[in-house]
Protein backbone atom coordinates (compact mmCIF):
# COMPACT_ATOMS: atom_id res chain seq x y z
CA UNK A 1 0.00 0.00 0.00
CA UNK A 2 2.93 2.33 0.67
CA UNK A 3 4.14 2.04 -2.91
CA UNK A 4 0.77 3.09 -4.27
CA UNK A 5 0.71 6.17 -2.02
CA UNK A 6 4.25 7.05 -3.12
CA UNK A 7 3.22 6.85 -6.78
CA UNK A 8 0.12 8.97 -6.18
CA UNK A 9 2.02 11.62 -4.22
CA UNK A 10 4.81 11.54 -6.84
CA UNK A 11 2.25 12.16 -9.58
CA UNK A 12 0.77 15.08 -7.67
CA UNK A 13 4.21 16.59 -7.00
CA UNK A 14 5.16 16.20 -10.68
CA UNK A 15 1.87 17.76 -11.80
CA UNK A 16 2.36 20.72 -9.45
CA UNK A 17 5.92 21.22 -10.72
CA UNK A 18 4.71 21.07 -14.33
CA UNK A 19 1.95 23.57 -13.61
CA UNK A 20 4.31 25.99 -11.85
CA UNK A 21 6.85 25.86 -14.68
CA UNK A 22 4.17 25.90 -17.43
CA UNK A 23 5.84 22.84 -18.94
CA UNK A 24 3.46 20.22 -17.63
CA UNK A 25 1.05 20.15 -20.55
CA UNK A 26 3.34 17.96 -22.65
CA UNK A 27 4.07 15.59 -19.78
CA UNK A 28 1.95 12.48 -19.30
CA UNK A 29 1.10 10.81 -16.01
CA UNK A 30 4.13 8.52 -16.11
CA UNK A 31 6.42 11.51 -16.65
CA UNK A 32 4.67 13.31 -13.77
CA UNK A 33 5.24 10.33 -11.48
CA UNK A 34 8.90 10.07 -12.48
CA UNK A 35 9.43 13.83 -12.12
CA UNK A 36 7.72 13.79 -8.73
CA UNK A 37 9.69 10.84 -7.35
CA UNK A 38 13.07 11.96 -8.68
CA UNK A 39 12.28 15.55 -7.75
CA UNK A 40 11.44 14.44 -4.21
CA UNK A 41 14.78 12.66 -3.97
CA UNK A 42 16.66 15.72 -5.33
CA UNK A 43 14.75 18.21 -3.18
CA UNK A 44 15.13 16.26 0.03
CA UNK A 45 18.80 15.66 -0.72
CA UNK A 46 19.45 19.36 -1.24
CA UNK A 47 17.02 20.93 1.25
CA UNK A 48 16.34 18.24 3.85
CA UNK A 49 13.03 16.90 5.10
CA UNK A 50 11.40 19.97 6.64
CA UNK A 51 7.77 20.95 6.25
CA UNK A 52 4.70 18.77 5.91
CA UNK A 53 5.25 15.18 4.87
CA UNK A 54 3.05 12.75 2.96
CA UNK A 55 3.91 9.15 2.00
CA UNK A 56 7.42 9.65 3.37
CA UNK A 57 8.09 12.69 1.19
CA UNK A 58 8.58 16.20 2.54
CA UNK A 59 6.23 18.14 0.27
CA UNK A 60 7.88 21.56 -0.04
CA UNK A 61 11.44 20.32 -0.73
CA UNK A 62 9.99 17.67 -3.06
CA UNK A 63 8.07 20.24 -5.11
CA UNK A 64 11.15 22.48 -5.31
CA UNK A 65 13.26 19.50 -6.42
CA UNK A 66 10.68 18.53 -9.04
CA UNK A 67 10.61 22.12 -10.35
CA UNK A 68 14.40 22.04 -10.69
CA UNK A 69 14.21 18.68 -12.49
CA UNK A 70 11.44 19.80 -14.89
CA UNK A 71 13.35 22.98 -15.78
CA UNK A 72 16.61 21.10 -16.41
CA UNK A 73 14.92 18.41 -18.50
CA UNK A 74 12.97 20.98 -20.52
CA UNK A 75 16.18 22.92 -21.22
CA UNK A 76 17.99 19.77 -22.37
CA UNK A 77 15.08 18.54 -24.48
CA UNK A 78 14.56 22.03 -25.91
CA UNK A 79 18.17 22.24 -27.01
CA UNK A 80 18.18 18.81 -28.64
CA UNK A 81 14.99 19.46 -30.62
CA UNK A 82 16.24 22.83 -31.97
CA UNK A 83 19.22 21.24 -33.72
Amino acid sequence: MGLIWSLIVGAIIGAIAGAITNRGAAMGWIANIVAGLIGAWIGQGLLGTWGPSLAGMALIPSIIGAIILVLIVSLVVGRTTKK
Side-chain angles (χ1 to χ4, degrees):
M1 191 68 171
L3 176 65
I4 294 171
W5 277 113
S6 295
L7 293 175
I8 292 169
V9 173
I12 293 168
I13 290 170
I16 291 170
I20 290 172
T21 60
N22 290 326
R23 290 173 168 83
M27 294 173 39
W29 280 104
I30 294 174
N32 279 337
I33 292 171
V34 171
L37 294 175
I38 295 174
W41 179 73
I42 291 170
Q44 290 180 31
L46 292 174
L47 303 172
T49 57
W50 53 274
S53 180
L54 188 61
M57 293 181 248
L59 296 178
I60 297 171
S62 298
I63 292 170
I64 294 170
I67 289 169
I68 292 169
L69 178 68
V70 168
L71 289 174
I72 290 172
V73 169
S74 66
L75 286 174
V76 170
V77 170
R79 288 186 183 176
T80 58
T81 57
K82 290 180 181 178
K83 289 184 179 180

